[in-house]
Amino acid sequence: MSIRDLVRRPALRGGIILAGLCAITASAQAQGAGKVYVSSEKDNAIYVFNAQGDRQGKIDVCKRPRDMAFGAGEKQIMVVCGDGNALGLVDVATGKLAGSVPLGDSPEMFALSPDGKLAYVSLEDDSVLAAYDLASKKPVFEVKTGGEPEGVQLSPDGKTAYVTSEVANLVHEIDLTTQQVVKNIKVGKRPRRFALAAGGDELWVTNELDASVGVVDRKTSSLKKTIKFEVKGMRQSDITPVGIAASPNGASIWVGLGRANHVAEVDVASYSVKRLVLVGKRAWGLRLHPDGKILYVANGLSDDMTLIDTASGKAIKTVPAGRVPHTVLIAK
């Protein structure tokens, strides 16, 4: 069924949307779903939603909030302050910014060590991966990278960090024990972010200016596959993959296609695109509900968030999410 059919037949469209919302509600109730948090770069805030996409509150944070992660057993939200050069610490119970960790210039993304004691942060202007002790709020070490590092992904054992360099078109493999780059892996143009697949044996990386995702074999530290995207009616230059998320069962990888205004579901086993879903403008940050039934997509240029029913592959609800929403975070 086409989008045009839905537009012309409002009763049918309403029925599909109602059914989708019922599915979200049932899933949320069954799983005891928590809150959904969305960072807004231009509003200097984190917006709070329930699992159904109803806005419940706003947390004022720092300048240009970007990437987020939970700390302290989900009692704390850590948020990168891109223009504040800090890692903001939000108390979940009070819904207020309770402190911060000073960072280097223009922090982008980060990952936490398995014990939650260290934050590994990509610093765009400094071209380094920097490690910070969260207890002392002090820097521990830095590792030089190519220009404009962004995505940060730790290996499952926490001994290795992978960092993208947008300028060098590389994935840097960093030994966190020796604090050195041990391999530079050539990928597509302007690599951005990561997801682990195949039980952690594969590292998938989005290539923003190559309309593709690269699949890195972690055992050989080499590129084994490149998956190209096509969207009917769109130029290749408009297909700009950035956000990426793996399904909980490991069967699918979802990719935000940026200015192509779609997300793609890719089958991990066959490396084939299963389907495309139309969302908002510049589909950017992606996060799956822990039960895998709902995909939340932050649309950076339409200032909203789209909720997708992953079973049907249908966008069932879009809600305002502040100016330039960046990252989605979901409580378990």
Side-chain angles (χ1 to χ4, degrees):
M1 182 181 300
S2 68
I3 297 297
R4 183 178 298 174
D5 291 332
L6 293 180
V7 171
R8 288 178 175 177
R9 299 166 67 181
L12 179 59
R13 182 177 73 247
I16 291 174
I17 293 174
L18 179 59
L21 293 178
C22 289
I24 295 177
T25 301
S27 170
Q29 291 173 344
Q31 298 295 322
K35 295 179 179 178
V36 177
Y37 301 89
V38 183
S39 57
S40 167
E41 289 191 77
K42 292 293 185 181
D43 288 349
N44 299 330
I46 297 171
Y47 289 100
V48 186
F49 301 82
N50 61 20
Q52 295 80 39
D54 303 315
R55 187 184 291 185
Q56 297 187 324
K58 175 186 175 185
I59 303 171
D60 293 319
V61 284
C62 49
K63 293 182 178 179
R64 200 179 180 187
R66 290 170 163 174
D67 196 19
M68 297 187 291
F70 283 115
E74 296 197 357
K75 295 179 181 179
Q76 183 182 73
I77 295 173
M78 303 176 189
V79 55
V80 167
C81 311
D83 287 347
N85 294 339
L87 187 68
L89 306 175
V90 175
D91 184 283
V92 172
T94 63
K96 295 185 180 298
L97 187 66
S100 64
V101 177
L103 303 177
D105 288 340
S106 192
E108 283 266 0
M109 308 290 287
F110 73 106
L112 295 174
S113 61
D115 60 10
K117 294 181 179 180
L118 294 178
Y120 300 97
V121 187
S122 57
L123 301 177
E124 184 177 25
D125 288 355
D126 294 338
S127 297
V128 298
L129 174 72
Y132 295 87
D133 184 291
L134 294 176
S136 67
K137 300 185 179 182
K138 299 293 184 182
V140 180
F141 64 84
E142 292 183 351
V143 179
K144 191 68 177 177
T145 67
E148 296 185 24
E150 179 167 332
V152 181
Q153 175 69 57
L154 296 192
S155 60
D157 62 10
K159 296 180 180 179
T160 303
Y162 299 92
V163 182
T164 57
S165 166
E166 298 177 39
V167 173
N169 300 329
L170 294 174
V171 170
H172 302 291
E173 181 179 333
I174 299 172
D175 185 320
L176 294 176
T177 301
T178 63
Q179 302 166 17
Q180 293 182 345
V181 175
V182 295
K183 188 72 179 286
N184 290 316
I185 306 166
K186 192 72 174 177
V187 290
K189 296 178 182 177
R190 198 172 177 85
R192 299 297 296 267
R193 300 183 190 169
F194 295 113
L196 290 173
D201 289 340
E202 292 180 349
L203 181 71
W204 290 43
V205 54
T206 52
N207 302 312
E208 184 181 14
L209 298 186
D210 206 26
S212 71
V213 164
V215 181
V216 173
D217 186 330
R218 290 190 54 245
K219 293 180 180 179
T220 62
S221 298
S222 62
L223 183 68
K224 64 184 286 188
K225 184 76 174 178
T226 297
I227 304 165
K228 298 287 286 188
F229 297 103
E230 295 181 357
V231 179
K232 188 175 181 179
M234 290 282 182
R235 293 172 295 184
Q236 283 286 293
S237 59
D238 289 329
I239 302 173
T240 52
V242 175
I244 187 169
S247 63
N249 63 9
S252 295
I253 297 286
W254 291 84
V255 182
L257 301 185
R259 293 180 183 272
N261 303 337
H262 284 75
V263 297
E265 182 184 9
V266 183
D267 180 71
V268 171
S270 65
Y271 305 118
S272 60
V273 177
K274 295 172 64 176
R275 54 190 168 187
L276 299 172
V277 183
L278 179 65
V279 289
K281 295 180 180 179
R282 201 197 72 170
W284 203 248
L286 276 64
R287 188 81 64 167
L288 278 154
H289 188 276
D291 66 11
K293 295 181 180 180
I294 304 299
L295 176 69
Y296 300 82
V297 182
N299 303 307
L301 288 182
S302 52
D303 296 340
D304 50 30
M305 176 175 67
T306 300
L307 283 65
I308 295 173
D309 175 35
T310 58
S312 67
K314 294 185 181 298
I316 52 180
K317 186 176 185 180
T318 296
V319 297
R323 294 181 298 162
V324 190
H326 187 282
T327 294
V328 181
L329 186 64
I330 304 172
K332 294 180 180 178

